[in-house]
Amino acid sequence: MSKLQENITKLDGLLARFREGGILNRVAGQDVAGSGGFFANTSPVDKSMICDVAHGTAADIDAAAKAAKAAFADWRDMPALERKKILIRIAEGIEARAEEIALCECWDTGQAWRFMSKAALRGAENFRYFADQVTAARDGKHLQSPTLMNITTRTPIGPIGVITPWNTPFMLSTWKIAPALAAGCTVVHKPAEASPLSARLLVEIAEEAGLPPGVLNTVNGFGEDAGKALTEHKDIKAIAFVGESRTGSMITKQGADTLKRVHLELGGKNPVIVFDDADLERALDAVIFMIYSINGERCTSSSRLLVQETIREEFEAKLVARVNNIKVGHPLDPDTEIGPLISEEHFTKVTSYFDIAKEDGATIAAGGETVGDAGYFVRPTLFTDANNQMRIAREEIFGPVLTSIPFGTEEEALEIANDTDYGLTGYVWTNDLTRALRFTDKLEAGMIWVNSENVRHLPTPFGGVKASGIGRDGGDWSFEFYMEQKHVGFATGQHKISRLGV
């Protein structure tokens, strides 16, 4: 039996319970049907039915928010070491079920096994990392003044709404939920309607690890009903969202009436700038990895290649050869590098840019076509002869599509790189240290890597500028969002107090 067939067989067994009973909402430790009935969840691999999913609406969000509110005080006040132990057990549970999570997520999202098998383990790393921060999360400062001993501390803000996307749903859910729980917050989680499987697995693992009922609640549904209700609910004190910029703007408006704190991890049109003094073979590897891995469906993908004119022809020729060699196939095949896009709607959007590129006057140097008709497969695509004013250079395509733009000087490269509404990441390839320092200082992006692809280090801040987001995740930056600062001043003597009305 091939590894592909072995994975398919395992998956079939794992999905049997969902085919029979569907995916229900989980509120206060209980399975709950959606007040809107059910909606169908299908696989992008072959468009087949996976299972029914509870359609949560405002009523379900209200129940979940009330459960999170009821559970908040006990979870907030639980000794830090006890909460830490629970988070570590969640990490252990994720590791024990990592294969199950990866198989289900491949089938649910179309992502390739080679990436999803690692994504589940990264979720465990998130829980372990934030578990280690629990005991110090509320630590503050001692700030002496002439008349007061000033002490600061941090307290959890309260029930949190977490809205996660469909591209790497399990890992991104843990990226938000782990620090929220570590801070002492309770959570209402609305996963993307296109990828509900792994969210169900996460809440199961958490409760099996000893997480008290109501601390993590999951409500499935759509943005226009469940999502909107979550962002507007008075008991939800903050919203952590990962998704597109337009939706982030809507969430900000919806949360305004209840003065919600928002953390928005949004889209990008990220540049990778390759200068002619770079290590071109390593740069080539990184350029390809950062746009064609994860099906190109990631916010940090380097979707604009800015390549110096002196090396452009050679670099693009090598790029075309490599892109044409990328294997598109079944996501459960370990050899597959690109699987199908998430849905028919997204497939239609991505493939529409093939015609847009031609209308813009660009060249389709590789790809630009679909693969088969069983699922939502497209060939990895490269556009050349492009400039930064074309739609293919300005709009977030969010697929395995790269636009190559030439530049002459460092000043021109910086101007092109910054000429975008977005500012999530940037990648710079040069062996000139002074240039790297100068260029990164002026590059408008929340995160920049020099001579590297995106390599995450959990204590560092993650987030963007401009239309790419508000706020930072990672390390202590996460706690700054999920917690409130509190100051207490103790008089150290009998300082003069102004007397009125004497």
Side-chain angles (χ1 to χ4, degrees):
M1 182 184 296
S2 68
K3 183 62 178 177
L4 169 59
Q5 190 55 54
E6 180 183 331
N7 283 341
I8 291 173
T9 301
K10 288 180 181 177
L11 174 68
D12 189 59
L14 294 171
L15 293 180
R17 67 184 177 113
F18 295 122
R19 293 192 187 107
E20 181 178 347
I23 295 176
L24 298 178
N25 298 326
R26 190 75 177 174
V27 177
Q30 300 295 316
D31 285 337
V32 181
S35 57
F38 288 89
F39 63 90
N41 181 35
T42 60
S43 174
V45 180
D46 59 4
K47 308 176 187 177
S48 64
M49 178 77 168
I50 298 177
C51 64
D52 288 318
V53 182
H55 183 172
T57 65
D60 304 286
I61 289 293
D62 182 58
K66 288 176 177 175
K69 182 179 181 180
F72 173 62
D74 287 345
W75 179 246
R76 176 197 63 199
D77 297 337
M78 181 182 288
L81 286 176
E82 291 185 29
R83 283 189 288 116
K84 177 178 179 177
K85 290 176 182 178
I86 291 173
L87 297 186
I88 290 174
R89 288 198 296 270
I90 294 174
E92 292 170 345
I94 292 170
E95 289 164 345
R97 296 175 67 175
E99 183 180 57
E100 176 185 1
I101 295 165
L103 288 169
C104 289
E105 199 142 270
C106 287
W107 193 245
D108 209 13
T109 68
Q111 296 289 355
W113 168 261
R114 64 171 58 209
F115 301 116
M116 289 303 98
S117 59
K118 299 169 185 174
L121 294 176
R122 281 186 62 192
E125 288 177 17
N126 288 335
F127 269 96
R128 285 190 184 279
Y129 173 79
F130 285 107
D132 287 339
Q133 310 307 308
V134 166
T135 52
R138 299 182 189 178
D139 288 354
K141 295 180 179 180
H142 171 210
L143 304 169
Q144 193 72 33
S145 72
T147 60
L148 295 172
M149 180 175 67
N150 299 286
I151 295 174
T152 69
T153 186
R154 291 191 296 201
T155 59
I157 193 171
I160 300 291
V162 174
I163 303 175
T164 50
W166 42 253
N167 49 341
T168 52
F170 188 83
M171 191 280 291
L172 288 173
S173 295
T174 65
W175 183 230
K176 301 293 185 183
I177 292 171
L181 297 180
C185 296
T186 53
V187 175
V188 177
H189 179 204
K190 195 208 84 68
E193 60 269 18
S195 56
L197 279 175
S198 60
R200 173 64 193 199
L201 298 180
L202 178 57
V203 73
E204 289 179 358
I205 291 168
E207 291 183 2
E208 288 168 3
L211 193 71
V215 174
L216 173 59
N217 308 274
T218 302
V219 178
N220 297 282
F222 297 86
E224 59 267 26
D225 45 29
K228 184 173 184 290
L230 184 59
T231 61
E232 294 177 344
H233 201 285
K234 63 182 178 63
D235 290 335
I236 299 298
K237 302 305 180 184
I239 295 288
F241 170 74
V242 185
E244 64 173 351
S245 300
R246 183 177 61 86
T247 307
S249 177
M250 293 171 60
I251 286 171
T252 303
K253 294 173 185 175
Q254 291 163 5
D257 287 344
T258 51
L259 297 177
K260 277 194 180 38
R261 183 180 295 183
V262 294
H263 183 287
L264 307 175
E265 184 183 323
L266 307 177
K269 195 67 178 177
N270 309 300
V272 51
I273 303 100
V274 180
F275 289 96
D276 58 10
D277 65 340
D279 182 333
L280 298 183
E281 289 304 314
R282 286 181 59 79
L284 183 67
D285 288 342
V287 166
I288 292 169
F289 178 79
M290 281 309 303
I291 184 60
Y292 298 115
S293 61
I294 316 293
N295 297 350
E297 297 169 328
R298 66 159 117 199
C299 55
T300 58
S301 65
S302 50
S303 53
R304 286 187 298 155
L305 166 63
L306 279 55
V307 58
Q308 198 155 22
E309 186 62 61
T310 49
I311 57 168
R312 180 187 63 81
E313 187 175 345
E314 174 190 359
F315 196 85
E316 287 182 348
K318 291 182 178 180
L319 189 56
V320 169
R322 289 277 297 275
V323 173
N324 284 331
N325 200 42
I326 293 174
K327 181 174 179 180
V328 179
H330 197 293
L332 293 179
D333 185 342
D335 292 331
T336 290
E337 294 170 312
I338 288 183
L341 300 179
I342 183 71
S343 66
E344 182 177 6
E345 179 183 10
H346 191 57
F347 175 81
T348 300
K349 174 196 171 183
V350 171
T351 55
S352 72
Y353 282 91
F354 301 159
D355 288 333
I356 291 170
K358 296 173 186 175
E359 294 166 5
D360 281 350
T363 298
I364 301 178
E369 59 186 19
T370 61
V371 180
D373 56 9
Y376 305 121
F377 295 85
V378 299
R379 293 217 177 276
T381 298
L382 171 65
F383 299 140
T384 59
D385 300 318
N387 64 62
N388 204 53
Q389 301 313 308
M390 295 178 176
R391 288 181 61 187
I392 56 174
R394 305 201 70 80
E395 298 174 6
E396 187 181 35
I397 301 172
F398 214 65
V401 181
L402 176 63
T403 299
S404 180
I405 304 169
F407 70 87
T409 65
E410 177 184 328
E411 292 75 17
E412 184 184 5
L414 184 64
E415 181 180 357
I416 294 171
N418 286 340
D419 183 17
T420 176
D421 292 336
Y422 299 101
L424 187 58
T425 68
Y427 306 87
V428 181
W429 285 86
T430 178
N431 280 323
D432 184 332
L433 176 60
T434 304
R435 170 190 277 160
L437 292 169
R438 185 171 59 238
F439 199 92
T440 55
D441 182 57
K442 301 296 184 182
L443 186 57
E444 295 171 354
M447 301 171 287
I448 303 169
W449 283 267
V450 178
N451 296 332
S452 174
E453 79 284 28
N454 174 351
V455 179
R456 284 290 298 123
H457 181 50
L458 290 177
T460 60
F462 186 103
V465 300
K466 300 195 284 190
S468 288
I470 297 172
R472 295 294 182 269
D473 274 322
D476 203 55
W477 284 273
S478 290
F479 290 140
E480 283 297 303
F481 176 71
Y482 294 112
M483 305 184 86
E484 295 277 22
Q485 292 283 354
K486 180 183 286 188
H487 161 254
V488 182
F490 294 89
T492 54
Q494 293 188 338
H495 60 272
K496 183 179 179 179
I497 301 174
S498 295
R499 302 181 71 200
L500 303 179
V502 176

